Amino acid sequence: MTATNIAHALGLHMHQPPGNLRLLIEVSPWEAEQIIRCYERVVRYAEHFRDVAVLHVGFSGVLLEQLLDPEVVARYRAIVDIPAMLDRYRRAANIELVGTGYSHPIFPLIARADWAEQLARGRALIERAFGRAPRGFWPPELAFTMEMIPALVKAGYDYVVVDGGHVRPADGMSDVLRPYLACHDGACIRVVPRDRALSGAQQSGLEPDGFEREVCLRAARSPRPREPRLLTTWCDGENGAWLRQTHEQAGFFGHFFAPQMARWRAGESMIRPVSLGRYLDAFHPRVHARVQTGCWNIDADAGAELSRWTGSRSQRAAVAELARLSERYWCLLRQQREDDDDGHLVRARQLILEAETSCYLYWGESWLPYLHQRLEAAASALAECAGEDGSVPPPICCAAGLTAADAEA
């Protein structure tokens, strides 16, 4: 095993549901401080190790909207200068920005007609905040289905990170230490498997010696030990005590990241940090693979069920109502409601996209009220747009159903 044979792509995913930064600074200021410091800490350590480190960082669109909100900027100014922080990200060449859905939706669960806008809005906000477009895509909650590939390619992405346990290579050799090519309906994208176990350790606690031993052992025992090995680890960047640790020497960056980068800088590590974009340009994946529908917390043999978000009757009812309202929106849009002077249709669209946020379903009954608030407000706005008084049935096209192709037409 050589130092050039094992590459490591390290990623951090950032997301807060709509309005959460404002809420936290009011009701839980210490938690708010821990979270906002996580965002600044990433770019500070990237700057300190700019000669050796590479970090992949993704921000949801709704989080970036909050970080760009003047009121949020003012409320957090005593802790972090948010505009200056975003500018440092913009200038950090060793941070590879990664896209995700605008409101952090579970793509397999939302209306397919909404995919394009979720992708476009999320990508546009990254470009607005950082001045550069992402090449890679991180599916919220790693919830992925092959049907997403054409939409991702059309949106401008050329690679996607997926849960390694759901990758099924065409050659039959299961190997999470290499990228693949996945194709659907004539569109192809590079697929990067995430190592679930080591990503869990990255989320909760790592030390350099143990990490080095484990990675080298995995590479040596992998199906292709003599070929270039690509380890991909990814986790939430602002969740859990390990990442939020304000005493940095006891947290992820001080206890693991800085010592690991110092080892590589001194030529004492077998594992080299890499940019996924540059790595994939150099090592073009040729082996095809199929990715089973799934997410980060579903075992590969559990099928396509996304039980964390659809396990209860109330969750399933909310998903169904969200789909119905999305269909209603697309129907009214196709009617070209030029009389929507009060912006009811625009308001309904924003509420529907926000309601697709995964957090509202993930936390079950305790967070479903946030989803229902948006569903009720969206239904009211759509009714206002249609000029209904509540007793008039919706137009026939809305009851007949709307396909993704119809929505894009």
Side-chain angles (χ1 to χ4, degrees), residues 6-12 138 142 163-165 176-177 193-220 229-236 242-243 252 256 260 271 296:
I6 306 176
H8 179 208
L10 189 157
L12 295 170
W138 168 267
L142 278 182
D163 185 80
V176 299
L177 296 178
R194 164 191 178 262
D195 187 296
R196 184 186 289 197
L198 285 175
S199 294
Q202 178 174 301
Q203 180 80 53
S204 57
L206 280 172
E207 55 89 18
D209 286 339
F211 176 74
E212 195 94 14
R213 287 193 300 269
E214 179 64 24
V215 173
C216 289
L217 183 63
R218 284 175 183 239
R229 306 281 73 198
L230 172 65
L231 169 71
T232 301
T233 60
W234 219 286
C235 68
D236 289 347
W242 174 245
L243 271 301
F252 171 79
F256 169 74
Q260 186 66 24
I271 306 163
W296 66 269

Side-chain angles (χ1 to χ4, degrees), residues 16 20-41 44 75-80 82 85 237-238 243-248:
Q16 293 295 316
N20 210 46
L21 289 182
R22 285 195 189 191
L23 176 65
L24 286 175
I25 199 67
E26 294 171 2
V27 304
S28 184
W30 173 234
E31 184 178 6
E33 180 174 343
Q34 288 177 300
I35 289 171
I36 203 70
R37 288 193 183 282
C38 287
Y39 306 141
E40 188 278 333
R41 193 175 297 125
R44 177 158 43 88
R75 295 294 301 274
Y76 284 84
R77 190 177 301 279
I79 308 169
V80 169
I82 294 176
M85 177 189 73
E238 79 273 66
L243 271 301
R244 291 187 182 184
Q245 179 61 257
T246 54
H247 176 56
E248 294 182 3

